[in-house]
Each structure stands twice: as C-alpha cells, then as structure tokens.
Amino acid sequence: MKKYILLITFAAAAWGNAQTNATATGPDERIEMLQRIGDIYFQDGDIENALETYQRILVIDPDNKPARSLIGLIYFNTSRYKDAVENMAALVEDYPEDFQTLNNLAWVYATSKDNAYRNAEKALELAQQALVLAPYDHHVWSTLSEAYYVAGEYEKANRSILHLVNLAASSDAKITEATVQTYNNQIQKCRRAIEAEALLREDQ
C-alpha cells in the first residue's frame, strides 16, 4: 500500500507540473502520464479516481483504445451495466477483429446480474466470434462455457470448460490457484446442471 501511495504522490505531482507547463508537454506525453496514474489508482482499488483519470485521457484523445477498454471494465465491475454495454459495443464496432473486445462484451452479456443486460444469444454469438480469432485463449473458452451455460446448453458448456482445462495442461500455462478454483467451480456447476436435467427427463 505504501508503495502505491508514494507512486501516486509522485505521479500526481508530475501531472500537476505538466499542467503548469502545458506548452512544454505534448498530448502523447500527457496521455502516457495519465495512463500511469490511472493504472496506479486502479491497482490500489481507487476505482473512482481511476475512472476519472481514464476519462481525462479521452478528453485529449476520444479514440484512445486502452482508456476506453479500461473504462468499460470499470463500468462492468461496478455494476454499471448499461454504461458497460454501450462502451464495449462501441469498441466492438470500432475493432471487430479484436478478440478481447468481443470477449469482454460477451462476458457482460453472459454474467450481468441485471437481467435487462443478460443476453445468452448475444453472449454466444460474440464468444464464438472471439473463438474464431483466438482459438487457444483461455479467457475465450471460459466465456464460451458460461455463455452456453446461461443459454441452457449444459453439455456444450461442460465440454467447453473441459477443453479449456486440457488446453491449459497441454500448453503448460501458468494459472493461479484462484483461476483453477474458478474453472473447477464451473465444471461442478455444469455437471450439476447436466445431472438435474437428466433427472427431470426421467420423471417425465
């Protein structure tokens, strides 16, 4: 925590100096400095200041992709689903070949806690588009599994998450314990849904 406080103080002072000497600092330098400040705020959990800092970047460069992407993630993580969808949909329109942008919007549609913004059909469509572009990306397979799950296609959801596990094992990827637990939870969730569905068929 102390490290982040010191870095923020230094970065804020530098930013203040840049504002004072605006004629000596070009827009690229200001953007780079604001990006560093925003990242520090974000890492320190100061989401509001991070959001404000990234928005300052857009004042200088309205099309700045990294800032736009991070703002979208902040909206989603703070349950501002309408803003998140609008932000990410605009990014998808501007960058239709960016699998991460497609995957982020798919994840919002698949996991939104607000039913108004949960859309299994759109989540599947976007996740499948992302998969075509990045067939070996773990995050895409995870999103695809969740999209199938919310669509009620539990067998496909299970196959997707199992494929992800096999992919991770074969590529010797470094995955955190928290991520492994997330994947295990997804496998268990899919299997419970498959078993429940089978029981319901037996009772009919």
Side-chain angles (χ1 to χ4, degrees):
M1 184 70 72
K2 185 180 294 184
K3 176 180 68 175
Y4 289 133
I5 292 172
L6 290 172
L7 286 172
I8 290 169
T9 302
F10 174 79
W15 181 76
N17 290 335
Q19 294 299 304
T20 303
N21 302 294
T23 56
T25 306
D28 290 344
E29 288 79 5
R30 292 202 300 274
I31 288 172
E32 184 178 346
M33 185 161 26
L34 285 168
Q35 182 75 51
R36 289 199 301 268
I37 295 170
D39 292 348
I40 292 167
Y41 279 135
F42 189 82
Q43 292 168 15
D44 202 38
D46 190 345
I47 299 303
E48 288 304 316
N49 275 321
L51 177 60
E52 181 182 349
T53 305
Y54 295 136
Q55 288 171 334
R56 284 178 179 269
I57 293 175
L58 298 188
V59 173
I60 303 170
D61 177 13
D63 296 324
N64 187 276
K65 184 183 175 185
R68 291 172 66 192
S69 298
L70 287 164
I71 287 171
L73 292 174
I74 288 173
Y75 285 152
F76 173 69
N77 288 323
T78 54
S79 302
R80 296 170 59 176
Y81 298 117
K82 180 177 183 295
D83 293 330
V85 167
E86 290 177 354
N87 170 285
M88 294 182 187
L91 279 165
V92 166
E93 185 174 345
D94 291 343
Y95 302 98
E97 299 299 313
D98 185 335
F99 78 90
Q100 291 177 328
T101 298
L102 291 163
N103 190 65
N104 286 344
L105 183 55
W107 185 255
V108 173
Y109 282 132
T111 64
S112 171
K113 295 177 182 177
D114 185 338
N115 289 334
Y117 299 100
R118 179 172 287 204
N119 189 316
E121 183 178 351
K122 287 184 178 180
L124 269 174
E125 179 183 353
L126 289 161
Q128 288 167 348
Q129 289 177 29
L131 186 65
V132 170
L133 295 168
Y136 301 106
D137 187 86
H138 300 167
H139 299 97
V140 173
W141 280 102
S142 177
T143 300
L144 182 64
S145 175
E146 187 63 24
Y148 275 130
Y149 183 88
V150 298
E153 299 189 45
Y154 305 125
E155 290 282 0
K156 290 182 178 179
N158 190 51
R159 287 201 297 270
S160 296
I161 195 66
L162 290 177
H163 179 80
L164 164 56
V165 171
N166 291 333
L167 186 66
S170 63
S171 64
D172 197 26
K174 294 180 180 179
I175 300 177
T176 65
E177 289 186 15
T179 301
V180 170
Q181 187 59 50
T182 298
Y183 294 161
N184 285 335
N185 290 342
Q186 182 74 358
I187 292 170
Q188 292 171 11
K189 182 171 73 171
C190 291
R191 287 178 176 170
R192 284 195 297 267
I194 292 169
E195 291 170 0
E197 197 172 49
L199 287 172
L200 288 173
R201 285 197 298 267
E202 289 177 4
D203 290 340
Q204 291 177 353

